Amino acid sequence: MYRDNEAYDVVAFTATQIPNILNRKYPASLAGKNYPKGIPIYDEKDLEKLIDTLKVEDVVFSYSDVSYEYLMHKSAMVNTAGANFVLLGTKATSIKSTKPLISIGATRTGCGKSQTARRLIEILIEKGLKVVAIRHPMPYGDLEAQKVQRYASLEDLEKYECTIEEMEEYEPHIVRGNVIYAGVDYEAILRAAENDPDGCDIIVWDGGNNDFPFYTPDLHITVTDPHRPGHGLLYYPGEITLRMSDVVIINKIDSAPPEGISEIRKTLAEIVPRAMVIEAASPISVADPAMIRNKKVLVVEDGPTLTHGGMKIGAGTLAAEKYGAAELVDPRPFLVGQLKDTFRAYPGIGTLLPAMGYGKDQLRDLEATINGSDCDAVIIGTPIDLNRVIDIKKPSTRVFYDLQSIGKPSLSTAIAEFLVKHGIGIGKSRKGQLV
């Protein structure tokens, strides 16, 4: 919206939620010709003061998965300080691909986008298509070095010094043989993906939080969570993500209460009656059920799902219940370092441990907290094996989960209709020969 736009002068970014990214600059090489010195990044808590000292006219809200109450408190603060509060729409922020593009979003963090993206890519590959995934940007380190990232092997995770949050999204693609792109400059990323050296027939945008896609989709899929049935209309920008849907997936019907499923169906009939509605489950399994049964277990869950996602349960919690754990160990007496700050910021987490790993310090704190806990075993409910990135001295077992369509229509149905409509892959077998 603003890079190379002479009508505006971007004087600052503010940051919140993600630790250790303050007091530096958005580099000139990414900011464009109008910012030869780059753009400074400040703490969001100084926003009112910055509006005054920098003579700010517009404050643009540009992060996601916040309640409407939170959003409008920010608006009130900004307006009181004299500035306009701006929310940019899809046309101002999305880029058109030269390839067919399917986007995946959600109404909240933790609905099941990741397993949906994995299943979608499997379906497309089975139809003989070369698929390239692009993941919502999550770079927290050297932004210039992270302008465009291509992940095709686990070694690439080390090459780009990924955080746990990044690994959780990239690794499940890599181990399935998928190429995935990420980074900072999402136009440059798109152009690189379109011209991937291994070929590209179709692009899948794997969204983050509850953002609407950064690229103009030819088919947009939104995942909903009946454990949080009303949240699709209460959190920004999840309602936008929902309203633009061509396909909506009601996930987790195997574990959600029937009334939650009914509430979402009612919402969809009112908000997006044109959308195809698919019911799905995310069944769980564990590597070693004996590690759980009748044991005192520490459950480690995906960090963002428990923090700004606000979930009280995750895959690890469901595994503990399914396989008969004796009790869940409360991690709070054993917290170390920055994890104490996490629980102060999100007191509702309760007896679960979020796998926070935005940097080396947080990884060290996570490792120390797990190893210091009074538990018999650890249930790893994160999408990656934490044993690969930290030294867990307690016995542990991983939880696995994948998307499974229930009944008709299915995700395969939706994709088949899309491919026929756009004439994609017609006349090819799995190996690409004409049939």
Side-chain angles (χ1 to χ4, degrees), residues 188-223:
I189 291 165
L190 177 63
R191 303 312 172 206
E194 292 167 343
N195 296 285
D196 185 78
D198 291 340
C200 175
D201 294 320
I202 194 164
I203 289 174
V204 172
W205 165 257
D206 185 355
N209 289 352
N210 60 355
D211 277 312
F212 51 83
F214 291 7
Y215 303 129
T216 304
D218 297 295
L219 180 76
H220 179 63
I221 302 167
T222 299
V223 187

Side-chain angles (χ1 to χ4, degrees), residues 156-330:
D156 291 330
L157 299 175
E158 297 180 12
K159 172 184 174 181
Y160 292 113
E161 300 181 345
C162 289
T163 64
I164 283 182
E165 282 68 25
E166 291 171 296
M167 291 181 198
E168 286 179 344
E169 301 302 337
Y170 308 155
E171 183 174 311
H173 285 284
I174 293 169
V175 297
R176 287 167 170 79
N178 303 334
V179 172
I180 184 165
Y181 280 80
V184 182
D185 187 331
Y186 66 93
E187 180 167 16
I189 291 165
L190 177 63
R191 303 312 172 206
E194 292 167 343
N195 296 285
D196 185 78
D198 291 340
C200 175
D201 294 320
I202 194 164
I203 289 174
V204 172
W205 165 257
D206 185 355
N209 289 352
N210 60 355
D211 277 312
F212 51 83
F214 291 7
Y215 303 129
T216 304
D218 297 295
L219 180 76
H220 179 63
I221 302 167
T222 299
V223 187
T224 63
D225 184 354
H227 287 284
R228 298 169 287 178
H231 287 207
L233 302 181
L234 296 175
Y235 284 78
Y236 178 84
E239 184 176 348
I240 300 167
T241 304
L242 182 61
R243 285 181 178 273
M244 63 186 290
S245 301
D246 300 299
V247 176
V248 179
I249 295 175
I250 306 175
N251 193 20
K252 307 178 186 178
I253 66 166
D254 52 333
S255 61
E259 57 270 23
I261 298 170
S262 296
E263 184 175 342
I264 286 185
R265 280 198 166 277
K266 181 179 178 181
T267 298
L268 299 182
E270 295 174 354
I271 301 299
V272 278
R274 62 180 177 79
M276 177 187 292
V277 178
I278 296 169
E279 291 190 347
S282 293
I284 61 169
S285 61
V286 299
D288 186 0
M291 197 77 69
I292 299 174
R293 191 165 303 281
N294 299 323
K295 301 289 180 59
K296 291 168 52 180
V297 296
L298 176 69
V299 177
V300 184
E301 301 279 22
D302 172 61
T305 298
L306 297 187
T307 54
H308 57 267
M311 282 287 284
K312 306 299 182 186
I313 62 171
T317 316
L318 295 173
E321 180 179 336
K322 179 178 179 179
Y323 295 103
E327 66 175 278
L328 300 186
V329 172
D330 189 340

Side-chain angles (χ1 to χ4, degrees), residues 114-115 118 164-165 167-169 171-172 284-286 298-306 314-317 319 353-357 363 366 370 378-390 392 396-401:
S114 297
Q115 58 262 47
R118 295 196 300 268
I164 283 182
E165 282 68 25
M167 291 181 198
E168 286 179 344
E169 301 302 337
E171 183 174 311
I284 61 169
S285 61
V286 299
L298 176 69
V299 177
V300 184
E301 301 279 22
D302 172 61
T305 298
L306 297 187
T317 316
L353 182 62
M356 306 302 289
L363 282 174
L366 180 63
I370 292 173
V378 179
I379 299 178
I380 300 173
T382 59
I384 65 165
D385 185 359
L386 289 179
N387 284 292
R388 206 172 55 76
V389 292
I390 59 176
I392 299 177
S396 64
T397 187
R398 283 189 66 188
V399 181
F400 302 93
Y401 46 93

